[in-house]
Structure formats: structure tokens, C-alpha cells
Amino acid sequence: MPISLLSLPAKDLQYAINSMDVSDLLAFSLCSKRTKNLVKSSNLQILRICAEVDENRIYLGMFVFQFRGNFQINIEKTIRIGLCEDFSIAFEREDGFQMWKNTEFTFSYLIAHFLSLSNISTLLRLQINNMVPIGYLDTVKQQFSKCQILEISEGCSEELTKMVFLKLAPLAGQVEVGNNPRDVSNLLTLNLSTVLFKDMRHPLELKLDDLLNLNIYDLCVRNTVISANELNRFLQLWMSNHGFYRPMMINLRSDNGWDSEKVMKGIKYDNVDKEPSFRLKREDGKELKVANIGPAISTAQLMPISLLSLPIADLQYALNCMDVSDLIAFSLCSKRTKNLVKSSNREIESISAKVDENRVRICIMAEIYREDANTRYYRNVVFKLFDSYIELHRNCGIEVWRKQEFTQSHWIAHILSIFDKSMIEELQICQACPIPYLDTVKKIILKCQKLEIRDRCPNDFAKIAISKLSSLAVEMVEINKNIFDDENDISKFLTLNLTSVSLCDHETPFKLKLEDLLTTNIAKLIIRTAIITEKELNRFVKLWIKGSQRFCRLEYIRLHLEDGIEMNRQEVFKGVKYQVTEDLGNLFALTRQDGKELRGSIEGTLILLLFR
């Protein structure tokens, strides 16, 4: 029996709110000002909010923490909200996406709303992926007033990278560029705080005028091309010019390095004690420190030590302080270092794999704790797999690690082993790849908890990918588009022996018939959105009661109908005796002669069937 939450006594209301699922709690906060304030006073904590732009859609990701019940259970979840092409909003739950249409909420309103539920003042990261239409950037700019980090992915074209930089960089405290454009002169004149060019493959070409006209407070280039003569000319002009120069730090790196004598030729400087650095001082009192000329112009240099010679307690402390990527590198040195890393029990959030074209990427999400600031945040460590080596994508660009005897499957097995994981948690097929490469993927990844087919995959390719890879998924297969061209396609798919399947497509609903439900061999089935008639559901229920399906593997069916189409429960149960269990939330219940039970609910556009 439904109850009015807001009519409960204060203590009972607070208990009910603290017992809610995170997704329901966020939806509850949108009902009114009062519900918003109630959620703010609950045990929900929004750790960070990020956004991702992919093609012509915006996804909002919230990383939330919740303390539930008397057993001190900490629940951490990632909630995704998508802004679709028609400006409707898709709210992701564990069972797929829930679409909100014809609502007064705008996407920018939702961002402000969720920020207000937390102590977060701005979006942490705005990530622009490839395939984003340039015209769509104005829509993105309208949705976000500012963010801490703007990330322009390495897959973005040169033209797209430049346009994103010009249009969106002023919104960010820090800009990270994954693909270096050939000409950045107009980009460097923008009044920005911090910019990192992290592309290691394509050196960024800089000239004297670029440095003279630079208006960025802190510039870091991980791979650059500029001559020692031009650096020398820049230093001479800085010494002679008493005007205003905004940059506070310029950090340049180069594969070839620079000759310090040529860089400092004709310039008066003081040596900095115990550092390979030079201090320049102008007549107006301004100072400039040039540090570590060689492969880099930088500001820090550390003395190496032998980690394995440290006492056990100190060694353990050193391992605990390591970044996840450094920890993996350390584990590859020997059997001893591998065992040391395993015994450190470093916890990570997840290990997933993405297949993009003809390459597998491994993504490790790890929690980072900054003791000095008493804050926690998450970062992804991304590897591209090859035989005998891997490419590591860090903030500083791309590093190559080689281990001659390793194959791609060895890399995965090693990473899973040191973090005490039995399998890849999620395998994503992002877009079409050569069909034979799917066999390679099957050899590399022996099993995963979840297989996801993304909506970029063509229908024919997606069907082949499912036939080859669905057996790898221990828990769920998720397909994010309707790939079934005719009725027979979906019927054949539903006969696969799978544990759990989620089908999601809001634009092209999945058409179901009686035979599909009768022959399905899937334990848990979630479809959003589905088309099925009351008559066929009624026939299915009657056949189930008669015991026509003696062996029925089904445990759970959840169907979401199209918006505006509601199922008539009376028609579904026409000629069927059933009970309504008001104490369990207005569920219906049927029991057949062999003791099997069917419970569920039919409310509006949602159909829920539970088989026991």
C-alpha cells in the first residue's frame, strides 16, 4: 500500500530517506524544495561530479557515497545522467536508463541542483571525446558555467581540439590537451590558469613569438620542439624587457633535450646551490629560475634510492604512497616485487576493458587519498595492450613499458593478480573492429562480469560480437541499441543461456511476442523500452499457471514501455485468479499447483515479474 513519505513522523521519515537507494534519493530531491533539503540533511555524500561529451550527447557522472543502516555499510556508486539530442534527460539506474521527458528540468538546472546537494562548488572534470560536432560545442558551453578541469581527448581531430580549446578553455581552471595541434599561436594568447599539452607522440612546435605572447599562468608541454637558440633569445629579451609578463611557470620537455651552454649563452646568471639550475635577475628586481636543462626544463629533481634495501615497515610505507601506475611498474621488475605489491593489498575500484577498433584498452579506476588535504578522489589509469609491451596513458602523456616474454593475456593476468581480482569487471565493445579481432579478444579476456555493446556498433557487427563474446559474461550482457532487424532475431537471442540481459533503446523499442517469453533462456531480463500487448501477456500468464513451462529459467522480467503507453492490469489478468499483497507494496501474486509463485506489479509504463 503506497504511503505519503512526507506525512511520516520526523524520525521515521529520516529513517526512510536513509534507507533509499541512491538513485531514488536523487530523484526524491527533485520533487520540491522540502525534499531537496531533506536529502541534503541525509547520509548521502556526492564526492565529485564530472561530465563527458560524446558525439552529440552530454553525460553527467556523479560519484556518490552513502552510509546505510545500523551495520555501517558504506555504499559507493556512479550515477550517470544523459542529455539526449531532443534535450530529454536519461537517468541511469542499475536496471538501465530511465527517460524523463516533458519535464521542467533543464540539464543546467540539474547540474546546479546536484552541486547544491553537496559541498562541491564546480564540476570536477569536463571531458570532450572524439566525434563531437563542432556546432554542438555551443550547446555544451550553455550547460556549464565552469569546471575545474577541461580534458580534450587524444582522439579529437586537430580542428576539433582547437575549437574546443577556444570555446571551452575559459571555463576551466586547468586544460589538458591529448592531441597536440600543429599551430597553437592563437591558443597560447588566451588568459588561462593552467594548460597541459600531454601528447607524447606528436611534439608541440613552439617558436620565440609563442613564448613572448604567452598569456597562460602555468604552461606544461610534455613533448616540445623549440631550438636552444630561440630559448636563448627569449631569455635575453626577458632580461632586457621590464614590462609585464604574466606566466609564472613554463615547463617544457623534449626527447632530444637542449644544450645548456647554448641556452644560457651571453646571459649573466647565478648558479643555484646543489641544483643544476640558473637564476637570472633583472634590473627591476624580477627573477627567473631556469632549472634542469637537458631532456627537460623543469623544477624538481629527486635522489634515487634502492627501495628493496629499506626496512620492511619503510618499504610498505613507500608502496602505500605509490601511484597505481608506478605500483604496477614496480610489480613487473621481479617475482619479489610482484609479491610485495600483492601483499600491499592496494584496493582499486574496478578493472575494465574497452575494445576500440583493433586494440584493447585496460582501464583501472583507483581511489586516491591526499592526507595533507584530507580528501579522496578517483583517477583512471589507462593501458593499451600489445604483445611484449603496453602503452600507459598518464597525465604526462604516453609511456611504453616492455616485457619481451609477455603477450596481451599475460598483461591482463598480471594486473588482475596483483590487485587480487578474478576477472575483468566490464568488457565494452565501443565500435566496430575487424571480425577476426573478436577471436583475439576472446583469447585475451577469458571472462568478465559484464559485457556491454555500445550504441556505436553497427547491427550486424553487434550480433557477431554477441555470438562470440556473450559466453564470457558471468553476470550480465548489456546492449545499448536495438540491433534486431526482424522478429526472429530477438527470438534467437533470448534463447541464449545467459544469466542477466539488459536491452536499452529509447528511440527504437524492442518488439516482444508470446513466443519470446515462452522460449527465453535468460534468468533476468530487463528491456527498456519494450512493445508487448496485454493479450500476449495474459496468454503467457495463463500458460505459466497451467504449468506448460515445467522448466522455466526465468527469475525476473522488467519491461519499460514507451512513454504515454500504460498497461491495463485488468486486461493482463483477465480470466486469471490472483491476489494483491498490499503489505508488500501493492504486488500481485499467483501460485500454481506445483507450488511455483509468480509475483510482480503493473504500474503505468512499468511491468515487473518475479518467478519463484
Side-chain angles (χ1 to χ4, degrees):
M1 180 179 67
I3 61 173
S4 174
L5 278 177
L6 299 181
S7 65
L8 291 173
K11 288 186 178 179
D12 294 338
L13 175 58
Q14 193 63 53
Y15 178 82
I17 290 174
N18 290 341
S19 300
M20 279 186 181
D21 179 79
V22 171
S23 305
D24 295 326
L25 203 58
L26 293 173
F28 182 65
S29 72
L30 291 163
C31 296
S32 66
K33 288 184 179 179
R34 183 184 174 190
T35 59
K36 175 182 175 181
N37 291 329
L38 285 168
V39 172
K40 288 182 71 172
S41 64
S42 73
N43 53 20
L44 177 71
Q45 295 181 33
I46 299 178
L47 302 178
R48 67 190 189 281
I49 301 179
C50 302
E52 180 180 352
V53 184
D54 203 343
E55 294 185 339
N56 54 355
R57 289 197 177 189
I58 303 174
Y59 296 98
L60 191 68
M62 288 183 292
F63 301 83
V64 298
F65 170 88
Q66 186 181 26
F67 170 84
R68 179 178 293 178
N70 298 321
F71 300 100
Q72 297 186 348
I73 300 173
N74 297 331
I75 298 173
E76 295 183 13
K77 286 190 176 182
T78 302
I79 309 297
R80 294 183 78 224
I81 298 175
L83 177 64
C84 305
E85 298 174 49
D86 59 356
F87 290 91
S88 59
I89 296 167
F91 185 76
E92 183 179 309
R93 303 170 61 96
E94 291 180 348
D95 52 4
F97 275 97
Q98 178 179 349
M99 185 72 75
W100 296 345
K101 288 187 177 179
N102 301 323
T103 174
E104 70 274 19
F105 302 132
T106 63
F107 203 71
S108 55
Y109 172 85
L110 284 177
I111 295 169
H113 176 86
F114 293 128
L115 285 173
S116 70
L117 293 179
S118 66
N119 295 321
I120 304 170
S121 58
T122 60
L123 202 70
L124 173 63
R125 182 178 292 269
L126 172 59
Q127 180 176 330
I128 309 297
N129 292 332
N130 59 348
M131 305 296 290
V132 176
I134 290 176
Y136 192 66
L137 296 177
D138 293 323
T139 300
V140 176
K141 191 173 182 179
Q142 291 172 5
Q143 305 301 324
F144 304 101
S145 58
K146 56 181 178 178
C147 63
Q148 293 182 37
I149 301 172
L150 169 66
E151 180 181 353
I152 308 173
S153 299
E154 63 170 317
C156 294
S157 66
E158 181 177 348
E159 181 185 12
L160 178 58
T161 297
K162 287 184 176 181
M163 292 306 298
V164 172
F165 198 103
L166 293 171
K167 287 179 177 288
L168 303 181
L171 307 180
Q174 176 174 317
V175 181
E176 298 179 359
V177 182
N179 181 23
N180 289 338
R182 280 171 289 187
D183 181 10
V184 294
S185 301
N186 60 334
L187 307 184
L188 299 181
T189 60
L190 295 182
N191 183 4
L192 302 174
S193 296
T194 303
V195 175
L196 168 62
F197 290 94
K198 57 184 184 180
D199 185 355
M200 296 289 288
R201 299 167 301 170
H202 311 109
L204 186 71
E205 296 184 12
L206 294 178
K207 295 183 179 180
L208 172 63
D209 288 343
D210 296 328
L211 297 181
L212 294 176
N213 297 323
L214 183 65
N215 197 28
I216 296 169
Y217 190 79
D218 186 349
L219 173 67
C220 180
V221 184
R222 294 305 184 189
N223 192 7
T224 186
V225 173
I226 186 171
S227 68
N229 290 335
E230 288 189 290
L231 286 173
N232 174 261
R233 182 62 180 152
F234 167 72
L235 295 177
Q236 288 183 351
L237 290 172
W238 182 87
M239 289 289 289
S240 62
N241 184 5
H242 296 174
F244 172 75
Y245 189 65
R246 182 171 183 265
M248 179 61 66
M249 169 73 76
I250 301 175
N251 190 327
L252 305 179
R253 294 178 180 270
S254 172
D255 289 340
N256 299 322
W258 296 276
D259 186 331
S260 60
E261 292 185 2
K262 290 183 179 180
V263 172
M264 305 306 296
K265 183 178 180 181
I267 299 174
K268 293 183 179 180
Y269 57 85
D270 295 325
N271 287 311
V272 180
D273 292 340
K274 299 181 181 179
E275 294 183 26
S277 306
F278 311 92
R279 181 181 289 113
L280 285 63
K281 190 171 183 179
R282 295 195 313 202
E283 292 179 358
D284 61 358
K286 298 286 186 181
E287 291 188 0
L288 174 64
K289 180 181 175 183
V290 181
N292 300 338
I293 299 178
I297 296 181
S298 186
T299 57
Q301 184 167 296
L302 302 176
M303 181 179 67
I305 61 172
S306 175
L307 280 176
L308 297 180
S309 65
L310 291 174
I312 294 177
D314 294 339
L315 175 57
Q316 189 62 53
Y317 179 81
L319 293 176
N320 292 341
C321 294
M322 278 188 183
D323 180 80
V324 171
S325 53
D326 293 327
L327 204 61
I328 295 172
F330 183 67
S331 73
L332 291 165
C333 296
S334 67
K335 288 184 179 180
R336 183 186 174 192
T337 59
K338 178 182 177 181
N339 291 330
L340 283 168
V341 172
K342 289 183 68 172
S343 63
S344 70
N345 296 320
R346 174 67 67 89
E347 293 186 4
I348 57 173
E349 293 300 307
S350 64
I351 301 178
S352 60
K354 296 183 179 181
V355 179
D356 203 342
E357 295 182 342
N358 60 345
R359 189 57 52 207
V360 174
R361 288 183 293 161
I362 299 297
C363 303
I364 303 172
M365 178 176 284
E367 183 183 44
I368 310 297
Y369 174 64
R370 287 188 56 188
E371 190 173 359
D372 56 338
N374 194 27
T375 58
R376 296 179 184 272
Y377 62 95
Y378 294 84
R379 67 178 293 255
N380 280 327
V381 179
V382 181
F383 298 92
K384 276 188 179 180
L385 296 184
F386 301 84
D387 285 331
S388 78
Y389 73 97
I390 56 175
E391 289 183 352
L392 167 64
H393 293 238
R394 295 208 216 205
N395 287 335
C396 60
I398 299 176
E399 299 177 9
V400 176
W401 297 354
R402 298 187 183 277
K403 203 163 179 68
Q404 202 63 39
E405 68 274 20
F406 267 33
T407 63
Q408 295 182 56
S409 56
H410 284 132
W411 289 110
I412 294 177
H414 180 89
I415 292 170
L416 290 173
S417 173
I418 62 175
F419 293 118
D420 195 26
K421 299 285 187 180
S422 60
M423 69 183 78
I424 294 290
E425 293 183 31
E426 183 175 18
L427 171 60
Q428 291 184 3
I429 310 300
C430 299
Q431 56 185 344
C433 67
I435 299 299
Y437 189 69
L438 293 175
D439 295 320
T440 302
V441 173
K442 193 170 183 178
K443 293 177 183 178
I444 295 172
I445 301 173
L446 301 181
K447 58 180 178 177
C448 60
Q449 292 182 10
K450 175 182 173 183
L451 169 67
E452 180 182 358
I453 308 295
R454 301 294 294 270
D455 56 3
R456 291 185 194 172
C457 296
N459 291 357
D460 291 340
F461 171 80
K463 292 174 190 175
I464 297 173
I466 291 167
S467 67
K468 289 180 176 288
L469 304 179
S470 62
S471 60
L472 305 181
V474 173
E475 293 183 6
M476 173 174 279
V477 175
E478 181 178 310
I479 305 173
N480 289 320
K481 66 180 298 189
N482 190 343
I483 64 173
F484 307 110
D485 301 321
D486 56 47
E487 298 170 359
N488 292 329
D489 279 352
I490 193 167
S491 298
K492 292 177 182 177
F493 172 74
L494 293 177
T495 60
L496 295 177
N497 182 14
L498 301 174
T499 302
S500 180
V501 167
S502 173
L503 305 177
C504 182
D505 194 326
H506 298 289
E507 297 175 358
T508 308
F510 299 87
K511 296 180 180 180
L512 294 177
K513 291 190 175 183
L514 171 64
E515 290 77 10
D516 299 327
L517 298 180
L518 293 176
T519 59
T520 186
N521 196 30
I522 296 166
K524 298 177 183 178
L525 178 63
I526 302 164
I527 301 181
R528 183 189 301 269
T529 54
I531 295 177
I532 190 169
T533 65
E534 289 104 337
K535 183 177 180 181
E536 288 186 286
L537 272 178
N538 174 262
R539 184 63 179 152
F540 172 73
V541 171
K542 287 180 177 178
L543 288 172
W544 182 87
I545 291 175
K546 289 181 179 179
S548 300
Q549 299 297 102
R550 286 294 176 185
F551 173 75
C552 180
R553 189 162 181 253
L554 276 170
E555 299 175 7
Y556 175 97
I557 296 179
R558 186 179 184 124
L559 305 178
H560 296 262
L561 306 180
E562 290 183 281
D563 288 343
I565 298 178
E566 296 189 1
M567 188 68 65
N568 187 324
R569 188 166 71 176
Q570 300 302 322
E571 289 295 321
V572 173
F573 292 109
K574 187 176 181 180
V576 176
K577 292 181 180 181
Y578 66 96
Q579 296 177 334
V580 176
T581 56
E582 296 182 355
D583 58 320
L584 295 177
N586 207 27
L587 298 179
F588 64 79
L590 304 104
T591 304
R592 66 186 191 187
Q593 291 182 352
D594 60 1
K596 299 287 186 180
E597 284 188 337
L598 172 59
R599 292 190 176 191
S601 66
I602 299 176
E603 297 289 341
T605 61
L606 175 63
I607 301 169
L608 178 64
L609 303 176
L610 303 171
F611 300 85
R612 297 182 179 181

